[in-house]
Each structure stands twice: as C-alpha cells, then as structure tokens.
Amino acid sequence: MSGLLGRSALFERIRRRAAERPTADAVVSADGTALSYGALVRAVAATAALLRADGARPGEPVAVPTANTAESIVTILAVAAMEAVPLLFEANATAYERDRFMELAGAHRLVTPIVAPIVDGGSRPWPQPGSAARAEVALVTSGTNGIPKVVGKHWDAVTDNSVRFAEAAGYTGADRVLCTTPLHHAFAFGVVLVPVLFHGGTIVLAPHPPLPSALPGLLRDTGATVVQSVPFLYGAALRAAPGHRPPTLRLCVSAGEPLPQTVGAAWREAFGVPLRDQYGATELGQIAFAGQDGVLRPVPGVRVRIDGADADGEGELLVRVPGPRIRYLGQPELTGRAHADGWFRTGDWGRVEGGAVVVSSRIGRRVVVAGRKVDPAEVEGALRALDGVRDCVVAVGDEAGYVAFVVADPPHSELSLRRALAAVLSTYKIPKRLHLVPELPRTSSGKVPMGSLWRTLA
C-alpha cells in the first residue's frame, strides 16, 4: 500500500480541520441542520466507542442501511475508525435485499445509523485507524444485469482515488458540495463523502430521492459551489429553471450514465458553469474526468487500455488502479472473471486515443441488426436531440426485440418519431418499435430498471 493516501490520512485530515476550525460546517442537511468539524470528531469517537461496547470487532463486516443524513456519515466513519468493514446499502432496501447483501458480505451485525451521545465533555480520543488486514469498505452494486454484488474495496485505495479526483476537480476547503445521489453509491462516496472531508469542505446533503424539479432551488438555497448529480436530474433542472444562475456555483459533475452532449451544452448556456462528465464504476471509483474541453481523461493514478479491438479500434475497456485487487464478497468466481493479468474488465466498450477515454456503450447492450452492430447510446442521443423528447431508453427483449421507450410531448407519435430518426440514422438503426410512455421509472442513481418497463407492455 506504499504511496497511497489512505484511511489514516483521511482521519488525520478531519482531526486537523477540527482542531484548526472546530466550528466550520462539515455536514449540512437540506433542512439546515449542521454538524461542525468539532462536533463530527466528537460524534465519531463516541459512536465508535459505543459500537465497541456493543461487541463490534475489527475486521467484522457491519451492515449500515444508509440514507443521506449526518447520522449515516457519522456511523460510516465510526465503523471504519474501529477497523470494522462498513457494508453500505440503501436504507429503504427490502428485508430480502438486506439479507442477501449481508449473506454475501458475511455480515451478522446491522447498525442503524446513529450519533452516540457525547459523554465526558467529548473527551474520548479521536480514533487512530491502524493497518487491519481487512481495512475495507463494502459497496453494493447490481451492475447492468440486476445481479446483486457486494464490492470489497480497500480504504486506502478508495481514499487515494477520491483525493486524486478531487484535486483534478480543484476541490478546496471553501467548497460546499451538494450531494444529490445516495451516499451508499460509489459516485457519492468517492466524489463527495471522502474527498470533501479530506479537503475540509462542507457536504450538503440533498433529500433523497430529490424531486426532479428541485435542483435549481437547492443550488440557490444551499450556496453550493459544486454539485454532483446524474444527467436525468440535470435535464429536469434545465426544464424547471432555464435562466437560473446560482452566484456561488463553479462546477457540476455528472455520472451514473452517459451525459448527452445536448444537456452539457444547454447547461453551460443556462447556468453559466461547466457540466463535466465523470466515468467511474463501483468497483474502481473514479476512472476518468472531463476537462474544460469536455474530453474524458484518466484520473491521475488510473491506467486504461482496450482489449480485443475491432476494425474501428474499439474494444473492452480494461482499467488498473493502485491498491489491492478488488473483490466481490461471497462471489469468488465473479472476482476471477473480472480480472485479467492485473487489469479489471469494466464490461464497457470504447477506445483510448491520444490520452482520451471514449466510452461507447455497455458490451451487453450492443445490438446486432441484420448482421450489423447498433450502439443504443447513439440511438438514444438521436432521440434526445429531437424537439419535444424529454427522456428515452433503448432496450432489447427476447420477444419484443429491439425497441425504444420514449417520453415525448404532443403531438409526437410513433410515426413522427420514426420519420425524424430516419433523417439522421441509417434505417437498420431505427428501433423495431417506439413505445410512447408518460415517464421512465428511475432508480435512486438515475438509471432505468428495464424490468419495470417491460412489464408495461405485458
């Protein structure tokens, strides 16, 4: 682990911030409730002590049903401070889902997020994490195939990657970073929770799930300088307040799904600040980040190459990040298949050219029509560029074939959409059916659960 900015460095930076500016805001909820750095240090120390007294032990996986609250942040840090393994998943997960996550991680203890009472005037010592063999954090992902997986990641590697991303994005202790996605997701964990506390900034927690039209108001009312969100919410904000320009905002980070160029350009025009795409994965953290020119380049410390290039120079993107090998807890066969000679198989199709990373699509989403490959992302981009189209997704079903679900304003019909696509796409790329729907269901990370859409056709 030599050379990595690790978990101990994170805790030391938090302690130092608390000593230098104890009243500075560390965490602010959307309702205005604040936790200062001084209070954060005292709360984490007290909560870690309470967990130890309750029998939690170093190296033990501890399930933490996580919400966007100060209590969740305190509990995550407390579990890590006592060298247990925080297993993070959505607080609203069903009992079946929770039990499955805990089974995969080998967790037998569940802790509802808390802030332990401060005793002895808060004189408990600030935890000093050591080098436990299982100094991990466990994050849940369903990937694109819907199969639950629990990713075990070493804290040192997570911290190092998060800090390097933040430095590329220019984070400082003066930043107020608005978190609109769930804390248990790798996007929020690595772009907000770890790097903001490392740099001594303020985490501003938006309610979750946020209303699609709520983002402009949150930007105005919270004084955010940085916001992380997903393309769907950025698009909704454009429709809700196209002329709103928050005076404090300097940077917007987008991830979770590809950022349509039209949304990025419209955001800069409407809000006066760049909307910069970020390419990442639960397993790897932040892989690439777009510069001011919109080009994705690897985050410092990350290496990207392709495997199995086709005639167009595209292949599967393989990634190598510093630190121990990522593992899927309870699924060693998946761990083995995901690695190739020290490189991680992302399952994404794209190319690397001139230091830039271009992500074309998920390998599993690529469609073969009449013997020719079709990239659903290209078709979705063409649909979103049409006036009146508010949302869409391309899907492939065993019986329904290659179709698209589209949210469009009147007077659009399937026929009008088909005619409009025919003007910009080759005939074979146009979906077999274009289903008009009132809205697309979205998960907490902004992705579309395809099973829900297929059921609308049943």
Side-chain angles (χ1 to χ4, degrees):
M1 298 302 299
S2 176
L4 294 184
L5 286 168
R7 180 186 54 164
S8 295
L10 171 64
F11 276 77
E12 173 56 24
R13 291 292 288 261
I14 296 173
R15 183 204 64 77
R16 190 186 310 168
R17 183 69 163 176
E20 295 172 349
R21 297 189 60 193
T23 61
D25 287 341
V27 183
V28 177
S29 298
D31 62 4
T33 304
L35 191 65
S36 70
Y37 271 88
L40 176 65
V41 164
R42 293 191 295 273
V44 170
T47 304
L50 182 64
L51 292 172
R52 287 193 189 94
D54 194 46
R57 294 292 177 261
E60 175 189 2
V62 175
V64 182
T66 306
N68 282 23
T69 63
E71 290 83 359
S72 289
I73 291 177
V74 168
T75 304
I76 292 167
L77 293 175
V79 172
M82 58 161 295
E83 299 193 326
V85 179
L87 164 62
L88 311 186
F89 56 87
E90 188 167 11
N92 293 329
T94 66
Y96 174 83
E97 292 169 331
R98 177 201 64 205
D99 292 346
R100 178 57 175 157
F101 302 151
M102 293 181 67
E103 178 186 8
L104 289 171
H108 304 287
R109 184 184 304 276
L110 183 144
V111 175
T112 300
I114 56 171
V115 174
I118 307 299
V119 297
D120 303 325
S123 61
R124 292 183 182 277
W126 178 238
Q128 298 294 325
S131 56
R134 290 193 65 191
E136 288 184 320
V137 59
L139 304 178
V140 169
T141 177
S142 59
T144 57
N145 55 16
I147 300 173
K149 299 186 286 288
V150 178
V151 182
K153 306 170 67 175
H154 201 287
W155 262 103
D156 286 3
V158 170
T159 303
D160 186 79
N161 176 256
S162 300
V163 172
R164 289 177 184 271
F165 163 80
E167 290 173 346
Y171 282 21
T172 73
D175 275 319
R176 295 172 64 85
V177 182
L178 177 63
C179 177
T180 73
T181 64
L183 277 175
H184 72 279
H185 284 179
F187 182 26
F189 195 83
V191 171
V192 180
L193 178 60
V194 173
V196 174
L197 293 179
F198 186 92
H199 284 284
T202 302
I203 297 171
V204 182
L205 296 170
H208 202 272
L211 293 173
S213 60
L215 187 54
L218 288 168
L219 294 176
R220 178 190 64 241
D221 298 338
T222 62
T225 60
V226 178
V227 60
Q228 62 84 238
S229 196
V230 296
F232 171 69
L233 289 179
Y234 284 121
L238 282 169
R239 293 188 292 272
H244 180 72
R245 292 182 178 233
T248 58
L249 193 63
R250 68 169 185 84
L251 172 66
C252 304
V253 182
S254 176
E257 59 181 340
L259 175 67
Q261 290 184 353
T262 52
V263 173
W267 184 270
R268 182 185 283 272
E269 175 67 23
F271 290 86
V273 292
L275 176 52
R276 294 167 63 178
D277 203 5
Q278 182 256 6
Y279 167 50
T282 300
E283 295 87 347
L284 302 161
Q286 287 55 252
I287 298 171
F289 184 49
Q292 295 288 353
D293 57 2
V295 176
L296 281 170
R297 296 182 178 86
V299 170
V302 177
R303 297 167 61 190
V304 184
R305 69 176 180 86
I306 63 169
D307 181 54
D310 62 13
D312 297 323
E314 294 194 341
E316 182 178 11
L317 293 168
L318 304 187
V319 176
R320 176 177 284 173
V321 297
R325 189 167 84 154
I326 296 100
R327 63 194 187 108
Y328 293 110
L329 305 186
Q331 297 173 301
E333 69 288 350
L334 286 181
T335 301
R337 291 200 299 268
H339 293 84
D341 297 326
W343 295 80
F344 185 87
R345 295 190 173 279
T346 64
D348 292 320
W349 191 264
R351 64 184 184 276
V352 180
E353 54 186 19
V357 178
V358 180
V359 185
S360 299
S361 66
R362 288 293 295 179
I363 290 176
R365 290 195 71 204
R366 292 171 72 82
V367 183
V368 178
V369 179
R372 289 175 286 189
K373 292 180 181 178
V374 177
D375 183 352
E378 178 188 10
V379 181
E380 290 166 354
L383 279 165
R384 290 193 177 99
L386 301 177
D387 288 339
V389 172
R390 293 186 283 117
D391 205 359
C392 67
V393 66
V394 170
V396 180
D398 292 338
E399 297 182 4
Y402 165 49
V403 304
F405 295 89
V406 186
V407 181
D409 297 326
H412 268 307
S413 64
E414 179 175 4
L415 180 59
S416 70
L417 291 172
R418 187 173 297 280
R419 286 174 174 169
L421 285 180
V424 293
L425 295 177
S426 299
T427 302
Y428 73 90
K429 294 182 180 179
I430 298 175
K432 174 183 175 183
R433 289 294 309 274
L434 294 156
H435 297 285
L436 286 164
V437 294
E439 65 178 1
L440 296 182
R442 295 277 177 174
T443 68
S444 56
S445 62
K447 296 180 180 179
V448 179
M450 300 310 301
S452 299
L453 276 179
W454 289 122
R455 285 193 290 272
T456 66
L457 302 182

